[in-house]
Amino acid sequence: MSDTFSPAKPAETLPFGETVTSVEHWTDQLFSFRVTRPNSLRFRSGEFVMIGLPGDTGKPILRAYSIAAPIWDEELEFYSIKVPDGPLTSRLQNIQIGDQVIVRPKPTGTLVLDALLPGKRLFLIATGTGIAPFASIIRDPDTYAAYDEIILAHTCRTNAELSYGYQLRKRTLADPLVGEDAANKLKHYATTTREASVHEGRITDLMRDGTFYADLGIGPLGTEDRVMICGSMALNQDVKDICAAAGLDEGSNSRPGQFVVEKAFVGEELV
Ligand code: A2P
């Protein structure tokens, strides 16, 4: 495992190579970047693709990343943590504009509107980089057509880790396509667990004790609501339990339901 970045091969020799157009470091552990979009790539908001870099042995190192750009964007965006010893992110965090990143144009995933039955409110519950698929969903006009209210909840340890979400809200409100809908229908609720902030505590605790709903001035989760969950295994399980307690059933692409869940692809697990 190397800490030094070996530049990717040029586009013409790198299969599925896309060019980095911007990189932003949010904290020493979080960064986002944008790449050119493969011509053949069509995706549904909330889906993920395999992206990566060429490995030393010639075999690419690929990991699943949710697409954090809207479906209509000319570029793709990804939001990632930096794992110091991670085979991919230890190198990916050093990418620069003009470098090449492998993007396999085969999107998939369950955090899609199609996997949910029609409903009134859509709750998007994320921790950490789990907000990435929702960056796509909240900039899709179909989301606003399908729901009266969209509530994006984001829990991180610190305020700095919430920055990407705050900027996402700003970008969404300023968006010519969905900005007006978002101003009317989108609520952003950000909480921290290890630092003081406007809303403190794990989203799960704030849902269970009612603080979340009271803060937003909305009614508690019910069977008319739909939920998308994206975070760690533990968060996913806890929110699933909350959904089940509210009488909601899990959905999938083949059998739409009342909530859907996907692990945030933040680690360096082999997939
Ligand atoms: P906490 O600080 O109480 O562990 P991480 O940085 O470990 O990936 O976690 C991201 C955020 O998700 C943290 O704020 C963390 O809170 C929170 N979190 C972790 N597990 C759960 C869970 N089971 N339910 C709700 N929030 C969780």
Side-chain angles (χ1 to χ4, degrees):
M1 247 166 293
S2 145
D3 274 327
T4 49
F5 176 63
S6 13
K9 293 181 210 159
E12 55 280 9
T13 57
L14 182 57
F16 303 110
E18 295 297 329
T19 306
V20 175
T21 58
S22 68
V23 184
E24 194 153 352
H25 293 268
W26 297 89
T27 68
D28 56 3
Q29 288 174 342
L30 291 167
F31 71 113
S32 63
F33 58 97
R34 293 173 68 82
V35 301
T36 51
R37 179 170 176 163
N39 288 333
S40 61
L41 178 62
R42 301 283 171 279
F43 66 97
R44 293 179 297 171
S45 301
E47 288 188 316
F48 65 86
V49 285
M50 302 301 293
I51 71 167
L53 292 170
D56 293 337
T57 60
K59 200 171 165 257
I61 303 169
L62 298 171
R63 298 289 181 269
Y65 272 81
S66 293
I67 301 172
I71 47 172
W72 39 263
D73 205 323
E74 285 172 5
E75 297 179 342
L76 300 180
E77 182 163 326
F78 300 101
Y79 182 44
S80 180
I81 56 161
K82 308 173 188 180
V83 180
D85 296 327
L88 180 62
T89 59
S90 63
R91 294 171 56 206
L92 196 60
Q93 65 179 288
N94 296 317
I95 51 167
Q96 310 277 341
I97 292 171
D99 287 342
Q100 294 279 304
V101 171
I102 298 166
V103 178
R104 290 270 168 84
K106 282 206 178 132
T108 185
T110 53
L111 298 179
V112 290
L113 294 175
D114 292 344
L116 292 175
L117 295 166
K120 291 231 160 64
R121 301 183 298 183
L122 176 64
F123 289 82
L124 307 170
I125 312 289
T127 50
T129 55
I131 196 171
F134 303 147
S136 180
I137 287 164
I138 64 167
R139 284 177 292 175
D140 187 336
D142 285 351
T143 306
Y144 296 95
Y147 294 96
D148 296 339
E149 212 169 5
I150 294 105
I151 298 110
L152 171 63
H154 191 203
T155 295
C156 291
R157 296 181 182 199
T158 64
N159 286 286
E161 291 169 353
L162 291 174
S163 308
Y164 184 81
Y166 278 112
Q167 207 224 42
L168 172 65
R169 175 172 71 178
K170 238 195 208 164
R171 284 156 81 190
T172 305
L173 291 172
D175 190 296
L177 194 61
V178 296
E180 204 178 311
D181 280 336
N184 292 327
K185 295 188 173 184
L186 179 67
K187 288 186 163 75
H188 175 227
Y189 188 82
T191 83
T192 52
T193 52
R194 306 208 186 175
E195 208 175 79
S197 71
V198 181
H199 303 295
E200 289 176 36
R202 288 182 165 195
I203 190 64
T204 41
D205 294 335
L206 301 171
M207 288 173 96
R208 286 197 200 96
D209 73 9
T211 307
F212 171 55
Y213 308 105
D215 284 347
L216 290 173
I218 60 174
L221 198 63
T223 50
E224 300 277 281
D225 296 321
R226 302 295 172 258
V227 187
M228 290 185 176
I229 311 162
C230 192
S232 63
M233 299 289 255
L235 175 278
N236 289 356
Q237 188 55 53
D238 288 354
V239 183
K240 269 171 88 158
D241 292 346
I242 291 171
C243 289
L248 308 183
D249 289 325
E250 186 166 356
S252 65
N253 273 288
S254 56
R255 205 180 67 91
Q258 293 157 314
F259 73 89
V260 282
V261 54
E262 205 151 74
K263 189 162 72 68
F265 301 110
V266 295
E268 281 274 11
E269 303 89 346
L270 290 169
V271 286

